[in-house]
Amino acid sequence: MFLNKSALILDNPSQLNYGVAVTDIDADGAFELVVAGFGQRNLVLQWTEQGFVDVAPEELADLGRQAIGVAAGDFDGDGQEEIYVLNTDSFQGRKQFGDRLFDWQENQWVDLFSLPQNQDSLNLTAGRSVAWVDRDGDGRYGCLVANYGGPIRLYELNGDGMIADVAQEAGLAFVTGGRGIVALSLVSDRMDIFMANENSPNFLFRNQGDGTYVDIAGMAGVSDPLQHGRGIAVLDADGDGRMDLVYGNWEGQHRLYAQYAPGKFQDIASRALAMPSRIRTVIAADFDNDGHEEIFFNNIGQPNRLFGWRNNKWTALDIGEALEPRGLGTGAAVGDFDGDGRLELLIAHGESGEQPLSLYHTASNQNFWLRVLPLTLQGAPARGAVVTLTANDRTQIRSIDAGSGYLCQMEPVAHFGLGSESAIDAVTVRWPDGKAVRISSPQVNQVLRVEYPGVPISDEVE
């Protein structure tokens, strides 16, 4: 499946890297890769005609910290995403290096936690992952931090413009071995939260519509109390129009939880897919544009794995040059950075040894595609929005990534492969507040930017 294109990473030092996030750091409409460096500089990889170059300014490079998790979202509602960098210098409990929340102000990146009014809110508990959550649908996102051995944090701006931890009032301030997070409309009409935990049951927080959450993991069948969760991805694994969960358990049985009824899941993982491994990131994406997503498992110190929907079942595929049997995988992300309509896969390495990043692509083909970028009212990527595409009586569904499982975050674009289908019936975008827009017969092989609607859901736009 994959071809090694790592030579296109022109600035690629061997170092300890962890999480990877995709965001637009310079507001030019193109996305960059932000890579967390542990004890070394963070990288910001920007695509040029020659390849990827590191353009990280000194503030974002943040040399000497111990970054592991990174994710972006519009925290202050100004239309540009802020970047949360999670630093962890201890396995669990209290840590020395606090997190960063970088905001673009007056031509420089400013750490909001460094401002005097916000220092009391600084997260000093060892964390693992970050997701961005718009819990009430106003286009302003909060940072949800999965801490290990300390309470979950949900940071939002209060009425005085200060950072406040609102996890308690939202019903989220649990103490657990937090690992991976995804946030999307999974079991309600607003952004729900699934969190995979270690040494304790998982959480499935259902949005109650009033800004608060209730954990329904047990009744939903996804608590998985004896396993140790890591990377998570969402996809429609069985083609029924509902979002499902696929995630890895550290050296335990991996799960593919299909949502067979609203809020009810069952594990349909095949023996090959469930086989235990030293799992890190899990990605669901259509790498070859054949109209079906693949599932990629990134492992540390073991070969990576790839599964595809073949003959109505999930089957192990030849992963090609992305096997990396000696790769120390710690994070991964996807995006189309060169604009050719096919996704690139970037893998970070580290933890137990310094290795450079690796980059993979699939072979060129004639399959059609469409990429959909929904925007908030303020003009930022609408993370958590859900996009459906119908072509030739078949419907595909994607969620705009708000924080992918373990340490990472994918591009904020719904990428659809179409195979040989050259005509699209319709695309519908539904925002976290429930508003929706329907676009009839968009052209294939383009990036479709969809503005936030000025009409209620009952008046969908053709």
Side-chain angles (χ1 to χ4, degrees):
M1 173 74 74
F2 290 109
L3 304 173
N4 193 331
K5 299 293 182 179
S6 300
L8 292 173
I9 309 174
L10 305 181
D11 293 327
N12 194 10
S14 289
Q15 64 178 42
L16 300 180
N17 292 316
Y18 275 87
V20 183
V22 182
T23 185
D24 180 4
I25 72 157
D26 51 10
D28 68 348
F31 294 110
E32 286 78 40
L33 288 147
V34 182
V35 183
F38 188 84
Q40 293 154 312
R41 62 183 287 117
N42 301 323
L43 307 174
V44 177
L45 300 180
Q46 185 176 73
W47 175 256
T48 69
E49 291 184 2
Q50 290 74 39
F52 288 97
V53 296
D54 180 21
V55 297
E58 183 179 352
E59 314 92 76
L60 292 184
D62 209 15
L63 185 62
R65 308 287 282 196
Q66 295 182 338
I68 63 169
V70 59
D74 189 2
F75 188 65
D76 54 11
D78 67 352
Q80 183 170 359
E81 293 192 310
E82 282 67 52
I83 303 171
Y84 196 106
V85 179
L86 196 156
N87 293 286
T88 294
D89 50 77
S90 62
F91 177 73
Q92 63 180 337
R94 190 169 178 83
K95 64 186 180 184
Q96 176 183 354
F97 293 118
D99 297 342
R100 303 289 203 191
L101 179 51
F102 289 109
D103 179 31
W104 182 251
Q105 297 182 5
E106 300 179 354
N107 296 317
Q108 64 178 339
W109 289 96
V110 175
D111 173 24
L112 296 181
F113 282 124
S114 71
L115 303 180
Q117 66 268 29
N118 295 326
Q119 290 181 7
D120 288 344
S121 297
L122 183 63
N123 181 39
L124 289 173
T125 302
R128 291 300 185 273
S129 296
V130 181
W132 289 80
V133 180
D134 180 2
R135 59 185 174 125
D136 51 12
D138 65 357
R140 295 174 61 166
Y141 292 80
C143 315
L144 184 74
V145 183
N147 280 329
Y148 197 101
I152 297 168
R153 306 278 189 175
L154 177 58
Y155 290 117
E156 295 179 351
L157 279 181
N158 63 20
D160 296 322
M162 300 168 60
I163 297 176
D165 178 11
V166 298
Q168 188 73 44
E169 68 181 64
L172 298 171
F174 291 84
V175 177
T176 185
R179 288 289 181 170
I181 319 172
V182 288
L184 70 154
S185 177
L186 183 64
V187 294
S188 79
D189 293 332
R190 295 292 179 92
M191 286 189 79
D192 308 303
I193 301 160
F194 178 75
M195 182 181 296
N197 297 318
E198 182 171 278
N199 296 316
S200 57
N202 298 330
F203 296 134
L204 176 53
F205 294 115
R206 183 178 62 199
N207 192 318
Q208 301 191 92
D210 59 359
T212 67
Y213 291 85
V214 59
D215 179 25
I216 64 165
M219 67 177 68
V222 294
S223 60
D224 209 9
L226 302 180
Q227 297 295 333
H228 309 295
R230 292 296 190 270
I232 315 166
V234 294
L235 76 164
D236 180 5
D238 51 8
D240 66 355
R242 299 188 185 97
M243 283 296 194
D244 307 314
L245 293 165
V246 56
Y247 68 90
N249 283 311
W250 179 257
E251 297 184 329
Q253 296 286 313
H254 305 323
R255 306 298 188 191
L256 178 53
Y257 278 120
Q259 189 172 187
Y260 64 90
K264 301 290 184 182
F265 296 79
Q266 62 182 356
D267 186 12
I268 63 168
S270 65
R271 180 178 297 181
L273 192 149
M275 185 176 66
S277 67
R278 299 170 62 86
I279 189 72
R280 287 306 179 90
T281 307
V282 176
I283 295 174
D286 189 349
F287 291 103
D288 57 4
N289 286 341
D290 69 346
H292 296 278
E293 291 181 282
E294 287 79 45
I295 298 174
F296 170 74
F297 284 172
N298 177 218
N299 295 309
I300 182 168
Q302 293 179 346
N304 299 324
R305 292 153 62 187
L306 186 70
F307 297 88
W309 185 251
R310 302 289 188 270
N311 300 317
N312 294 317
K313 62 181 181 180
W314 287 98
T315 303
L317 302 180
D318 180 359
I319 198 171
E321 295 177 348
L323 185 67
E324 293 195 348
R326 290 177 292 278
L328 301 175
T330 50
V334 294
D336 178 18
F337 302 97
D338 59 10
D340 68 353
R342 288 176 294 131
L343 294 173
E344 290 92 67
L345 169 66
L346 184 92
I347 302 177
H349 310 92
E351 186 167 300
S352 55
E354 295 182 352
Q355 290 182 340
L357 303 166
S358 53
L359 180 72
Y360 298 97
H361 211 315
T362 55
S364 179
N365 59 51
Q366 299 302 310
N367 290 336
F368 296 101
W369 51 272
L370 182 74
R371 292 169 53 75
V372 183
L373 172 57
L375 302 174
T376 66
L377 176 64
Q378 298 83 0
R383 295 192 184 267
V386 174
V387 184
T388 57
L389 178 150
T390 303
N392 194 23
D393 296 325
R394 177 171 176 259
T395 297
Q396 299 187 56
I397 185 169
R398 305 282 190 272
S399 177
I400 303 300
D401 192 63
S404 288
Y406 194 51
L407 310 179
C408 299
Q409 184 187 50
M410 307 300 126
E411 63 171 353
V413 180
H415 180 92
F416 295 94
L418 298 169
S420 62
E421 294 294 337
S422 61
I424 299 170
D425 299 326
V427 168
T428 300
V429 179
R430 186 175 298 272
W431 278 261
D433 64 355
K435 289 187 177 180
V437 163
R438 184 176 186 271
I439 300 136
S440 296
S441 304
Q443 293 296 308
V444 299
N445 293 1
Q446 65 160 322
V447 179
L448 185 64
R449 293 170 62 90
V450 185
E451 305 288 338
Y452 180 83
V455 294
I457 188 172
S458 58
D459 297 320
E460 291 184 345
V461 176
E462 287 285 339

